[in-house]
């Protein structure tokens, strides 16, 4: 069993906290590690060190910071296999899926390597007689990130590479379920030559989060997690005067039009609904076929694919569907399946009662498919975050759009069709932050920004991409005139 430490000022530091959290292997249910739930004093110390270290880092030429990002990028690529293994061990997702997660996180580091270009300011000559004006972007100081369990490497990488490249110091409070991937990334960043105190990891739970939210020296907070906590983080953080971007939960719908290639749509739904055990904020959890014939065809195509999903531990290379994150979460997902049955939805494939020899205590839930789900059912309304897909039948494109608009979440959505007109109309009108056309999980690449709408995101900034540069910097505009340009005496009117 291993014990994790905080990473502060370039060193691994033992916590003095008497509160610990356990880390489990979700495939076996065994405890494999533990981490400290740090004290306020430890968080305060990390912030003080980061504040001091940031002064020099923020004044380094951006190209020098970029060189360290390039080295970090190289080390990440060299160690991607180890990173993926850390993820699978604690999170339970398959090795290939973990590799994919790392690759999407590393994309953000690639983007951050271009920071000198992104920090270039604006200059206007002769805004008045002999007067020039220029605007430059400045780091905020110390900023923090609070991250969820489902992407233990990628979601932190949505935050700290951009923040640090822009000249800030960063405090990461990773998920207490699977923090080891971030610890490895921290080591690699240090090896890349990052100065001590610029990237710090402080483990903890709600009390560490509250300490971050109230700390006067933390200027901005990036949060990704469930909607109730995102709303709480946004409210408390902004009340303390911070910039906050808080991304929350989701219930992503996929419309299947009658003209869609049914095999392509069904395969896309299997990957997007059951991949990573449905524990993705961009997972498709609701399929909306248009017309009864399309619905019957879709369910007929999905049923054998869901039934034959290969469920197992990440250590088995043939596994397609791994365990969910905790025993409590497994019970929650199973409880939703019970509720769906009680509410009268048709259970086409039942994922309850799955057991695997040698892994009887693992947190597995089999692939589950419901048909004839209606808007009033909890399996439709709530984010289940498990391998459960609901089919909601609608008679027209317009009804399907109304359905999506009626949901509180608006993270991602997709349409499967060959009709360019319907696809364009959908992309244009739908009130959702990220839209896929024949693409089931439309996560933007690193040089665009990621973010949902409505109760899937609080705050006005998307994460990574160009919006991250704005979020992690502030603009200063200087208006300058030199003595040779001064021709007049005192002027008492407002300059026109
Ligand atoms: P979570 O909200 O339980 O935890 C997220 C973070 O908040 C963790 O670091 C945790 O320690 C902290 N936290 C938990 N309870 C807290 C409390 N009461 N007060 C303060 N902090 C608290 O989320 P999770 O279960 O780790 O992750 C799954 C959720 O994250 C899902 O809802 C999923 O949709 C969402 N998610 C969203 C996105 C997105 O981009 N929108 C991406 C990934 C995950």
């Amino acid at each position: 069993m291993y014990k994790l430490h905080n990473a502060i000022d370039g060193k691994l530091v033992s916590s003095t906290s008497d509160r610990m959290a356990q880390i489990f292997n979700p495939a076996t249910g065994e405890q494999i590690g533990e981490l400290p739930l740090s004290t306020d004093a430890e968080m305060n110390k990390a912030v003080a060190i980061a504040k001091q270290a940031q002064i020099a880092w923020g004044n380094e030429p951006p190209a020098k910071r970029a060189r360290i990002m390039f080295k970090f990028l190289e080390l990440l690529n060299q160690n991607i296999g180890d990173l993926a293994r850390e993820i699978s061990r604690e999170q339970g997702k398959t090795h290939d899926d973990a590799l994919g997660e790392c690759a999407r996180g590393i994309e953000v580091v690639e983007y951050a390597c271009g920071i000198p270009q992104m920090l270039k300011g604006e200059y206007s000559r002769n805004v008045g007689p002999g007067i020039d004006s220029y605007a430059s972007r400045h780091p905020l100081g110390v900023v923090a990130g609070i991250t969820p369990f489902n992407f233990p490497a990628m979601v932190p990488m949505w935050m700290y590479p951009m923040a640090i490249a822009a000249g800030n110091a960063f405090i990461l409070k990773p998920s207490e379920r699977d923090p080891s991937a971030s610890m490895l990334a921290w080591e690699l960043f240090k090896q890349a030559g990052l100065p001590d105190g610029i990237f710090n990891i402080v483990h903890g739970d709600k009390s560490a989060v509250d300490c971050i939210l109230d700390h006067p020296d933390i200027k901005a907070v990036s949060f990704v997690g469930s909607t109730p906590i995102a709303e709480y983080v946004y409210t408390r953080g902004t009340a303390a005067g911070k910039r906050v971007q808080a991304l929350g939960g989701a219930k992503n719908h996929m419309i299947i039009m009658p003209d869609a290639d049914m095999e392509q749509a069904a395969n896309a739904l299997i990957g997007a609904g059951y991949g990573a055990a449905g524990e993705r904020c961009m997972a498709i959890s609701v399929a909306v076929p248009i017309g009864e014939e399309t619905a019957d065809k879709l369910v007929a195509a999905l049923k054998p694919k869901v039934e034959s999903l290969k469920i197992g531990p990440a250590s088995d290379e043939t596994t397609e569907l791994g365990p969910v994150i905790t025993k409590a979460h497994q019970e929650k997902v199973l409880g939703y399946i019970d509720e769906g049955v009680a509410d009268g939805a048709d259970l086409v494939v039942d994922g309850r009662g799955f057991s695997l020899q040698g892994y009887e205590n693992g947190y597995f839930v089999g692939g589950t498919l419901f048909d004839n789900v209606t808007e009033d059912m909890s399996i439709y309304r709530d984010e289940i975050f498990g391998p459960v897909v609901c089919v909601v039948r609608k008679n027209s494109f317009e009804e399907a759009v109304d359905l999506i608009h009626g949901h509180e979440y608006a993270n991602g959505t997709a349409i499967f069709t060959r009709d360019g007109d319907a696809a364009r109309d959908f992309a244009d009108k739908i009130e959702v932050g990220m839209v896929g056309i024949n693409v089931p999980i439309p996560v933007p690449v690193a040089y665009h920004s990621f973010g949902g709408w409505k109760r899937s995101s609080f705050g006005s900034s998307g994460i990574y991409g160009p919006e991250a540069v704005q979020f992690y910097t502030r603009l200063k505009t200087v208006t300058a005139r030199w003595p040779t340009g001064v021709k007049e005496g005192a002027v008492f009117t407002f300059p026109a």
Side-chain angles (χ1 to χ4, degrees), residues 146-151 154-155 158 173-177 204-207 209-210 213 223-230 232-233 246-250 279-282 325 329 383 385 409 411 434 450-452 456-457 463:
I146 301 157
T147 53
F149 79 82
N150 64 329
F151 286 105
M154 181 185 78
V155 169
W158 284 358
K173 204 292 300 162
S175 169
E176 54 275 49
R177 316 255 176 259
D205 56 6
K206 176 176 166 45
S207 104
V209 171
D210 287 347
L213 296 175
F223 172 90
V224 176
S226 58
T227 285
I229 312 297
Y232 168 76
V233 164
L247 279 63
E279 291 174 323
R280 292 182 183 135
C281 64
M282 291 291 276
I325 187 70
H329 191 54
E383 180 185 46
F385 225 52
Y409 296 132
N411 210 39
M434 291 168 284
F450 179 111
S456 289
S457 185
I463 213 155

Side-chain angles (χ1 to χ4, degrees), residues 121-169:
E122 295 172 339
Y123 185 90
S124 297
R125 175 182 162 266
N126 265 351
V127 294
I131 303 175
D132 304 320
S133 193
Y134 58 91
S136 50
R137 295 217 151 262
H138 297 246
L140 302 178
V142 183
V143 301
I146 301 157
T147 53
F149 79 82
N150 64 329
F151 286 105
M154 181 185 78
V155 169
M157 285 186 198
W158 284 358
M159 304 171 179
Y160 67 81
M162 289 302 295
I164 289 175
N168 300 284

Side-chain angles (χ1 to χ4, degrees), residues 238-476:
T238 51
K242 299 181 200 314
R243 284 188 190 183
V244 182
Q245 52 179 186
L247 279 63
K251 194 82 178 177
N252 305 312
H253 299 64
M254 172 169 144
I255 296 181
I256 300 96
M257 297 294 283
D259 67 348
D261 179 326
M262 195 51 76
E263 189 58 17
Q264 187 199 9
N267 282 336
L269 243 172
I270 293 291
Y274 301 98
E279 291 174 323
R280 292 182 183 135
C281 64
M282 291 291 276
I284 295 287
S285 47
V286 183
V288 193
I290 304 302
E292 291 297 325
E293 200 185 326
T294 313
D296 292 344
K297 277 196 218 157
L298 179 73
V299 173
L302 286 175
K303 185 169 185 281
K305 292 181 196 288
V306 180
E307 284 170 339
S308 60
L309 282 168
K310 174 85 173 52
I311 306 166
S315 53
D316 178 347
E317 278 179 18
T318 63
T319 292
E320 293 167 334
L321 173 55
V324 297
I325 187 70
T326 57
K327 177 110 194 105
H329 191 54
Q330 180 195 33
E331 283 163 6
K332 184 176 151 193
V333 176
L334 294 173
Y336 270 114
I337 303 174
D338 292 342
E339 272 180 43
V341 173
D343 287 347
D346 293 338
L347 186 56
V348 180
V349 184
D350 187 353
R352 296 172 295 183
F354 173 83
S355 182
L356 186 66
Q357 205 183 1
Y359 295 91
E360 290 81 359
N361 296 323
Y363 313 137
F364 294 98
V365 179
T368 300
L369 180 65
F370 277 109
D371 193 5
N372 291 305
V373 174
T374 53
E375 288 96 305
D376 53 321
M377 296 178 186
S378 62
I379 53 169
Y380 172 73
R381 284 195 321 269
D382 299 350
E383 180 185 46
I384 299 175
F385 225 52
V388 180
V389 172
C390 297
V391 176
V392 180
R393 294 174 175 234
K394 289 289 166 193
N395 288 320
S396 67
F397 172 78
E398 290 73 22
E399 277 184 25
V401 168
D402 287 348
L403 174 78
I404 297 173
H405 285 170
H407 206 286
E408 64 173 323
Y409 296 132
N411 210 39
T413 188
I415 187 169
F416 273 65
T417 182
R418 291 181 232 232
D419 179 346
D421 204 21
R424 188 188 181 280
D425 204 30
F426 181 71
D428 195 43
K429 301 219 171 79
I430 202 74
E431 295 186 6
V432 174
M434 291 168 284
V435 181
I437 298 170
N438 299 317
V439 172
I441 306 187
V443 174
V445 290
Y447 40 97
H448 287 257
S449 298
F450 179 111
W453 287 9
K454 292 160 69 179
R455 289 180 60 74
S456 289
S457 185
F458 301 85
S460 57
S461 176
I463 213 155
Y464 67 78
E467 297 213 348
V469 181
Q470 308 231 350
F471 184 76
Y472 291 127
T473 59
R474 51 189 173 172
L475 197 69
K476 182 180 283 181

Side-chain angles (χ1 to χ4, degrees), residues 4-14 183 186-187 190:
L4 294 185
H5 300 290
N6 290 329
I8 300 171
D9 201 15
K11 295 170 236 2
L12 294 176
V13 186
S14 299
M183 296 306 292
W186 175 86
E187 295 238 13
K190 182 176 159 64

